[in-house]
């Protein structure tokens, strides 16, 4: 494990959220989609199932996506901003079956606030360890997804939307075409 468990979860959750809002598609079109996202990514705590909550979550995405394009100073500005606005106060807590980990806002804080703070806390770890290069973009030319490379040798190139397979198939076709010409 490269980072603490809650840091890795926070990074992956942030990338997953950013990737619901790519160019020209909406991965969180309605409250039901947010319910799905909530369950799939293991969120717990307050969840209102309202349009207002959905709007707040969507509004967070561009701020988080910005982190993938920013240099360290700008990342720090975004992270500090998110922590300040959310009145973050890190506390070690234990709930459900999880061991002690950090929460910096109460579990009954709005979902978008908790998502923002969890992402910010995880990014703070990347800044402190000099590992911001772990934040990468998918190598597939048709994909604008972001990813977090948590591999030991920093070898991850594609997002989880199947781009690795798509790239392998096109490389195979290109080789075949070349050998038949
Ligand atoms: Zn927790
Ligand atoms: Zn991709």
């Amino acid at each position: 494990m490269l980072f603490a468990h809650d840091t890795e979860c926070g990074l992956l959750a942030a990338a997953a959220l950013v990737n619901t809002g790519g160019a020209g598609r909406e991965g969180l079109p309605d409250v039901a989609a947010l319910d799905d996202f909530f369950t799939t990514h293991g969120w717990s705590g307050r969840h209102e199932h309202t349009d207002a909550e959905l709007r707040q979550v969507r509004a967070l995405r561009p701020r988080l996506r910005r982190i993938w394009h920013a240099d360290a100073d700008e990342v720090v500005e975004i992270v500090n901003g998110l922590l300040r606005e959310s009145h973050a106060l890190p506390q070690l807590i234990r709930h459900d079956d999880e061991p002690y980990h950090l929460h910096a806002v109460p579990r009954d804080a709005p979902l978008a606030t908790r998502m923002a703070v969890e992402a910010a806390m995880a990014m703070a770890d990347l800044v402190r360890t000099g590992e911001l290069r772990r934040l990468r973009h998918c190598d597939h030319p048709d994909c604008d997804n972001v990813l977090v490379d948590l591999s030991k040798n920093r070898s991850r190139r594609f997002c989880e939307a199947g781009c690795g397979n798509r790239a392998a198939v096109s490389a195979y076709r290109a080789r075949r075409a070349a050998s038949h010409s």
Side-chain angles (χ1 to χ4, degrees):
M1 190 166 57
L2 281 169
F3 303 101
H5 180 68
D6 50 349
T7 294
E8 297 196 350
C9 290
L11 293 170
L12 296 174
L17 179 61
V18 166
N19 289 341
T20 64
R25 78 199 133 75
E26 178 51 77
L28 295 176
D30 49 29
V31 168
L34 180 58
D35 287 356
D36 257 3
F37 184 86
F38 186 92
T39 317
T40 308
H41 295 281
W43 285 95
S44 61
R46 177 170 164 190
H47 180 28
E48 292 172 357
H49 313 276
T50 59
D51 285 321
E53 179 181 63
L54 175 63
R55 273 196 303 276
Q56 289 167 4
V57 169
R58 280 193 197 151
L60 173 62
R61 293 182 307 198
R63 290 182 80 184
L64 294 185
R65 185 179 279 274
R66 186 74 218 127
I67 293 175
W68 266 261
H69 298 271
D71 63 18
D73 290 339
E74 200 187 338
V75 172
V76 166
E77 214 170 284
I78 297 167
V79 165
N80 284 345
L82 291 170
L83 292 174
R84 202 167 44 233
E85 283 166 33
S86 313
H87 306 287
L89 173 67
Q91 297 280 289
L92 282 161
I93 78 158
R94 207 161 49 173
H95 61 84
D96 300 310
D97 288 332
E98 293 173 56
Y100 277 119
H101 56 283
L102 282 170
H103 277 207
V105 279
R107 298 188 76 205
D108 60 354
L111 180 59
T113 303
R114 285 180 294 123
M115 286 176 160
V117 167
E118 186 175 305
M121 294 288 286
M123 296 301 169
D125 266 10
L126 284 192
V127 172
R128 288 156 58 227
T129 50
E131 293 282 2
L132 279 173
R133 274 167 308 167
R134 301 269 174 190
L135 303 180
R136 316 223 4 233
H137 294 84
C138 179
D139 264 5
H140 198 286
D142 301 334
C143 182
D144 67 353
N145 278 350
V146 299
L147 61 92
V148 184
D149 184 359
L150 294 175
S151 66
K152 263 205 185 91
N153 50 359
R154 296 184 170 80
S155 58
R156 184 137 178 245
R157 294 176 54 208
F158 299 105
C159 75
E160 270 158 9
C163 290
N165 284 337
R166 282 204 285 158
V169 169
S170 359
Y172 171 75
R173 288 205 182 116
R175 274 196 308 275
R176 260 180 71 109
S179 71
H180 287 272
S181 61

